[in-house]
Amino acid sequence: MDEKRRAEEAPGAPGGPEGAPEQAPEARPKGTRRRGAALIRAIHAAACEEAAERGLEGATMEGIARRAGTAKTSLYRRWDSPEDIVLEALHAAYPMEEPAPEADDLRGDLIRALRLMRDSFGSRPKYAQALMAVLVASWARPDLHERLYREVFDPRGERFTKNALLHYADKGVLDRERVTDVVADIGEAMVFKHMLDTMEPPDDAYLGMIVDQAILPAVGIDPRTRTAADGADGGPGGTRAS
């Protein structure tokens, strides 16, 4: 059997048993062999690219390995499926707002939480596309929907602004019973609504309006009242990303 025939019948080749795509994703240059955390980061990035470009159902171990510039066997040592890698990658890079213990600027922390959400996804289009691909797939798969929340969203703070709201509730600034699921959803919902309507991310002024006109009133705070826990500028303060 000549070289051309062997290549055509090799697993993963076009027309071969595994039915690779007509145009394979570009491989990363192998360069120096990576290990440990560096290799995991490369695999995570490759998994997000694979899901972003091919959808979750179209992602393959071969494609992820090729993009990461590593052997497919390296993936199978740690993960059972492309879905497992994609979910782990989403968890590892999902932004998380976390008020510092000394935080004393509720308004500013809420604005910073929404800014973190906006900037984290806006600056990483492949990550955002991969997350959307998993969300779309989860609508038809209750098991995947449950995994997405259990393995990605819930461990990373559930919703943006929720950690800040609970932090200030624990400090006695607001009533904890007011931090309901609906209230915790307000910031994220308004940011997504703005992007759907305008096809642009909201600017800082609009984030401030979300906080002043929706979130603060929902927890019983008048944004016109200036206190240490109701800062007016959203400048340097307590929220930090992890």
Side-chain angles (χ1 to χ4, degrees):
M1 184 183 295
D2 58 26
E3 292 298 325
K4 181 178 180 182
R5 178 75 177 276
R6 281 197 293 269
E8 290 174 348
E9 296 184 355
E18 295 186 19
E22 293 181 2
Q23 185 175 359
E26 183 179 353
R28 292 276 191 271
K30 293 185 183 299
T32 304
R33 186 175 181 182
R34 293 158 301 181
R35 300 177 184 275
L39 178 58
I40 295 299
R41 286 193 297 271
I43 293 171
H44 283 172
C48 287
E49 290 181 6
E50 180 83 352
E53 296 178 15
R54 303 189 62 191
L56 184 63
E57 299 302 324
T60 66
M61 293 298 238
E62 291 85 352
I64 295 172
R66 189 180 299 112
R67 293 174 191 274
T70 190
K72 186 170 64 173
T73 53
S74 299
L75 307 186
Y76 280 112
R77 292 191 189 104
R78 179 178 177 121
W79 300 280
D80 293 329
S81 69
E83 182 175 302
D84 293 338
I85 308 178
V86 172
L87 287 172
E88 184 177 295
L90 292 178
H91 170 268
Y94 194 80
M96 181 177 179
E97 50 96 9
E98 183 180 354
E102 67 276 8
D104 61 358
D105 177 9
L106 171 57
R107 181 180 186 274
D109 274 346
L110 291 172
I111 292 174
R112 277 184 289 275
L114 295 178
R115 187 185 297 143
L116 174 64
M117 173 189 173
R118 177 199 66 192
D119 294 347
S120 294
F121 294 123
S123 64
R124 299 180 299 171
K126 292 297 183 184
Y127 181 87
Q129 291 166 20
L131 179 60
M132 183 57 65
V134 175
L135 280 168
V136 170
S138 75
W139 294 341
R141 286 185 49 195
D143 63 311
L144 177 60
H145 185 270
E146 193 276 334
R147 285 193 70 186
L148 180 61
Y149 277 81
R150 185 183 72 242
E151 299 177 24
V152 180
F153 296 149
D154 291 351
R156 304 297 288 171
E158 298 184 23
R159 300 167 179 83
F160 290 92
T161 73
K162 186 173 183 178
N163 281 350
L165 290 169
L166 291 176
H167 172 79
Y168 286 96
D170 290 341
K171 291 177 64 119
V173 173
L174 57 95
D175 184 353
R176 191 181 182 91
E177 291 185 359
R178 286 182 175 267
V179 187
T180 64
D181 287 344
V182 171
V183 170
D185 274 339
I186 290 174
E188 290 188 17
M190 293 297 294
V191 169
F192 281 124
K193 177 68 164 55
H194 183 279
M195 290 191 292
L196 286 172
D197 288 346
T198 67
M199 302 299 291
E200 295 286 344
D203 59 20
D204 284 358
Y206 193 79
L207 297 182
M209 288 190 286
I210 293 174
V211 171
D212 290 340
Q213 298 176 30
I215 301 177
L216 289 177
V219 295
I221 293 177
D222 186 342
R224 295 169 297 183
T225 303
R226 305 304 184 191
T227 67
D230 183 24
D233 57 12
T239 298
R240 55 185 171 86
S242 65

